[in-house]
Amino acid sequence: QVQLVESGGGLVQAGGSLKLSCAASGRTFSSYNMGWFRQAPGKGRDFVAGITWSGTSTYYADSVKGRFTISRDNAKNMVYLQMNSLKPEDTAVYYCAAGSASPRIFSGYNYWGQGTQVTVSS
């Protein structure tokens, strides 16, 4: 079992940056693929970025490629999402997730955090 707690959300102007953090509990953190998803009001939960358990492979949604970077520190049980050049359309609740299957799709994740709000003003 893995418990996930996100932090780092907030209000930022367009063009700004934020870094989200996800703290994981559990001794098996390093065996899980990790991902970030987001959900805007009235919309579904969309994949943003994923990283394999070893950190050797990363995946991004086309909409964030080149602007967002996912990383992890297995020694600290942490995963991060660095978000640069933020746009108003990035506004959403961002969720951290852990799973053992494909890191690119929703069904690949078994555990979810409670989410953190990111609001980008124009």
Side-chain angles (χ1 to χ4, degrees):
Q1 187 105 12
V2 177
Q3 293 184 324
L4 305 170
V5 179
E6 302 95 335
S7 62
L11 174 64
V12 64
Q13 287 189 330
S17 297
L18 278 176
K19 186 174 184 177
L20 304 183
S21 299
C22 175
S25 64
R27 293 175 292 176
T28 58
F29 169 78
S30 60
S31 67
Y32 287 100
N33 299 324
M34 299 297 296
W36 288 94
F37 287 73
R38 65 187 181 187
Q39 187 166 16
K43 296 189 177 182
R45 194 170 295 189
D46 296 328
F47 171 77
V48 174
I51 187 167
T52 53
W53 63 271
S54 62
T56 54
S57 297
T58 56
Y59 309 91
Y60 297 94
D62 288 342
S63 59
V64 307
K65 205 169 290 184
R67 300 189 297 124
F68 290 11
T69 303
I70 188 171
S71 61
R72 67 188 296 163
D73 185 337
N74 285 346
K76 296 182 178 179
N77 280 17
M78 296 290 294
V79 63
Y80 307 98
L81 185 69
Q82 177 66 48
M83 305 186 294
N84 299 328
S85 302
L86 283 161
K87 304 176 181 179
E89 51 264 42
D90 294 318
T91 295
V93 176
Y94 283 70
Y95 296 90
C96 175
S100 301
S102 171
R104 305 192 209 201
I105 58 176
F106 183 90
S107 59
Y109 294 91
N110 308 101
Y111 305 101
W112 296 84
Q114 82 290 348
T116 185
Q117 177 70 46
V118 171
T119 302
V120 184
S121 63
S122 56

